[in-house]
Amino acid sequence: QMYLTESGGGLVQAGGSLRLTCTASGTFDRAKIMAWFRQSPGHQRELVASMSSGHEANVAGSVKGRFTISMNNAKDTLNLQMNNLKPEDTGTYYCNVADWGGSFWGQGTQVTVSS
């Protein structure tokens, strides 16, 4: 079992930046993939960015060039740096980790971007 806690969300104006943090109860040593998803009202949860166990990072086309996913050296924190935020980035952002024991989710952190 892995417990994940997201933080760093908030209200920001369009063009602003936020840095989301996902802190794990353990480390990501056994993780196959680590990711950030988001969900806005009336929409399905969508993948925003992911990082493989080999540290290969990918981001969705809608956030490419603006969002960056990274992991700290201790391998217990996953970050999402979000720059040049747009109103359509508004939503609840969730951290997800999949390892050999299952798939784990945090409770989410709200990001609201005003125009």
Side-chain angles (χ1 to χ4, degrees), residues 14-43:
S17 298
L18 285 174
R19 183 177 179 86
L20 304 185
T21 296
C22 172
T23 303
S25 57
T27 69
F28 300 134
D29 284 336
R30 296 176 63 231
K32 292 185 289 184
I33 193 160
M34 300 150 284
W36 286 96
F37 287 75
R38 70 184 178 193
Q39 187 168 21
S40 56
H43 293 82

Side-chain angles (χ1 to χ4, degrees), residues 19-22 28 33-37 47-52 55-60 63-72 77-83 94-97:
R19 183 177 179 86
L20 304 185
T21 296
C22 172
F28 300 134
I33 193 160
M34 300 150 284
W36 286 96
F37 287 75
L47 177 65
V48 175
S50 65
M51 178 176 285
S52 69
H55 295 188
E56 180 179 352
N58 288 285
V59 297
V63 304
K64 203 161 196 173
R66 301 187 297 120
F67 289 15
T68 303
I69 186 171
S70 64
M71 183 172 59
N72 69 342
T77 301
L78 188 70
N79 302 303
L80 185 68
Q81 178 66 41
M82 308 186 295
N83 298 326
Y94 298 91
C95 179
N96 172 257
V97 174

Side-chain angles (χ1 to χ4, degrees), residues 4 10 17 23 31 36-37 41 44-45 56 60 71 73-74 76 82-83 85 87 92 101-102 107-108 112:
L4 303 171
S17 298
T23 303
W36 286 96
F37 287 75
Q44 288 188 330
R45 193 171 294 190
E56 180 179 352
M71 183 172 59
N73 290 334
D76 60 4
M82 308 186 295
N83 298 326
L85 283 159
T92 302
Q107 82 289 346
T112 303

